[in-house]
Amino acid sequence: MNEYANTSSPVTGVRKAVVPVAGLGTRFLPATKAIPKELLPVVDRPAIQYVVEEAARAGLDDLLLITGRGKDAIEDHFDAAPYLEERLAADGKDALLAEVQHATEVAEVHAVRQGNPKGLGHAVLRAREHVGDEPFAVLLGDDLIDADEPLLERMLEVQRTRSATVVALLEVPEDRAHLYGVAAVEPTEEADVVTITGLVEKPPAGTAPSNLAVIGRYVLRPEIFDVLEQTEPGRGGEIQLTDALQTLASDASIAGPVLGVVYTGRRFDTGDKLEYLKTVVTLASERDDLGPAFNAWLAERAQQ
Ligand code: G1P
């Protein structure tokens, strides 16, 4: 018997998504001095809205933001705005009205504060009361996943059929591995699914166990909460979700296997300045309304 209570939840459909948003966004200062980084626009909607829409598309319509000081505007974004809506309706701006109302309707958004943020593991632990004894998803706001190549749906399917903890993995170049959690893996009978045998948070250059990096999508079982309670601060002095997952991966008697779904679609990183710019340009160039004019300008500019 291991030290963790095995609550072995019944296999229910996952309904809840947890989205940590308490980070300070220091990489985007001074833009993020008074505005949460999650509200920086990616074309014409805040980055966080893409993530919430991704969760809703996968059937997760109960969303918990793990928030913090200075982040109230994120909740406002998903709340009704009666005065604005009345004005848009009165002015006949129906398309804009629909966009504004869509943010309210896309999911039921709850929030809990992280208080003194002590890392991603600590943020996830703050979801315990809201989540209860069910499997749940965690989506990190910096990672945007191509809507045309769904990832979360596949992870939920793997969770349901294998009753496992499921982590999204992406092949990255060796010289980028130190920026991520990195997994040691073994193949399974399914081509896109691997068994995770170990995980390291941000391994020093040259020590990564593979080129498979954790990207910000997880489907977790509720046993993770007990493990997080007992996880000591790790890299950067923070309670790392990766370390709790490593505990699960090293002892399947706690909560079954930890599996990785290897994603081959496009993942956009909005947490890094250069990658953020590339994301905005790529998504704008693919939009039906903006793309033609924007691409023509881009082509012209590339020749200068
Ligand atoms: C977090 C996780 C890391 C993961 C990354 C994905 O790191 O701790 O394991 O690879 O997200 O974006 P962060 O980027 O918040 O430092």
Side-chain angles (χ1 to χ4, degrees):
M1 188 64 195
N2 61 60
E3 62 192 302
Y4 304 103
N6 191 333
T7 47
S8 66
S9 60
V11 183
T12 52
V14 177
R15 295 181 305 116
K16 293 177 182 167
V18 173
V19 183
V21 294
L24 288 179
T26 43
R27 275 190 270 185
F28 283 86
L29 283 169
T32 50
K33 188 177 171 195
I35 294 170
K37 67 167 176 171
E38 293 79 8
L39 293 184
L40 294 180
V42 174
V43 190
D44 55 2
R45 47 187 85 146
I48 186 79
Q49 190 171 329
Y50 291 84
V51 175
V52 171
E53 285 181 5
E54 179 194 340
R57 267 196 309 274
L60 313 180
D61 53 7
D62 177 317
L63 202 119
L64 179 69
L65 300 173
I66 312 294
T67 180
R69 191 166 292 275
K71 299 281 183 163
D72 292 351
I74 301 175
E75 284 172 74
D76 290 346
H77 177 74
F78 293 106
D79 191 9
Y83 176 70
L84 174 64
E85 291 172 32
E86 275 163 32
R87 279 302 297 268
L88 292 172
D91 295 349
K93 295 185 171 162
D94 295 339
L96 283 178
L97 178 62
E99 285 286 343
V100 165
Q101 289 176 332
H102 175 67
T104 317
E105 290 156 3
V106 68
E108 190 184 317
V109 176
H110 306 266
V112 60
R113 284 204 176 203
Q114 199 179 347
N116 180 14
K118 291 183 236 155
L120 179 58
H122 178 248
V124 172
L125 193 49
R126 296 287 294 131
R128 181 171 210 160
E129 200 175 325
H130 183 86
V131 165
D133 193 21
E134 303 174 17
F136 64 104
V138 174
L139 290 83
L140 304 189
D142 285 347
D143 293 304
L144 305 190
I145 299 297
D146 188 352
D148 293 334
E149 295 168 89
L151 166 63
L152 200 50
E153 283 87 339
R154 176 67 178 139
M155 295 174 72
L156 292 168
E157 186 186 8
V158 171
Q159 201 288 324
R160 202 170 47 244
T161 52
R162 309 277 294 265
S163 214
T165 296
V166 185
V167 175
L169 299 174
L170 183 78
E171 261 186 43
V172 296
E174 208 183 316
D175 62 354
R176 304 278 299 168
H178 67 282
L179 300 170
Y180 299 93
V182 181
V185 303
E186 284 170 4
T188 69
E189 63 284 1
E190 288 181 281
D192 63 335
V193 180
V194 289
T195 301
I196 296 182
T197 56
L199 279 161
V200 193
E201 180 66 9
K202 311 215 168 90
T207 68
S210 77
N211 62 349
L212 290 173
V214 175
I215 50 171
R217 300 292 180 271
Y218 309 81
V219 183
L220 303 174
R221 291 176 42 137
E223 291 88 344
I224 193 82
F225 294 126
D226 277 347
V227 178
L228 282 168
E229 291 273 12
Q230 297 182 42
T231 299
E232 298 289 335
R235 189 140 191 101
E238 298 190 333
I239 298 173
Q240 297 289 352
L241 180 58
T242 303
D243 293 345
L245 291 167
Q246 157 62 24
T247 302
L248 293 182
S250 65
D251 183 355
S253 74
I254 301 172
V258 179
L259 301 177
V261 166
V262 182
Y263 186 56
T264 50
R266 291 185 305 171
R267 168 247 186 191
F268 302 99
D269 180 2
T270 61
D272 171 270
K273 249 182 251 184
L274 183 59
E275 296 301 316
Y276 169 80
L277 289 173
K278 291 183 196 169
T279 302
V280 174
V281 170
T282 305
L283 295 184
S285 72
E286 291 175 5
R287 282 262 297 252
D288 291 341
D289 53 348
L290 295 166
F294 187 51
N295 289 331
W297 177 81
L298 276 177
E300 209 176 286
R301 187 174 161 79
Q303 311 217 316
Q304 281 169 15

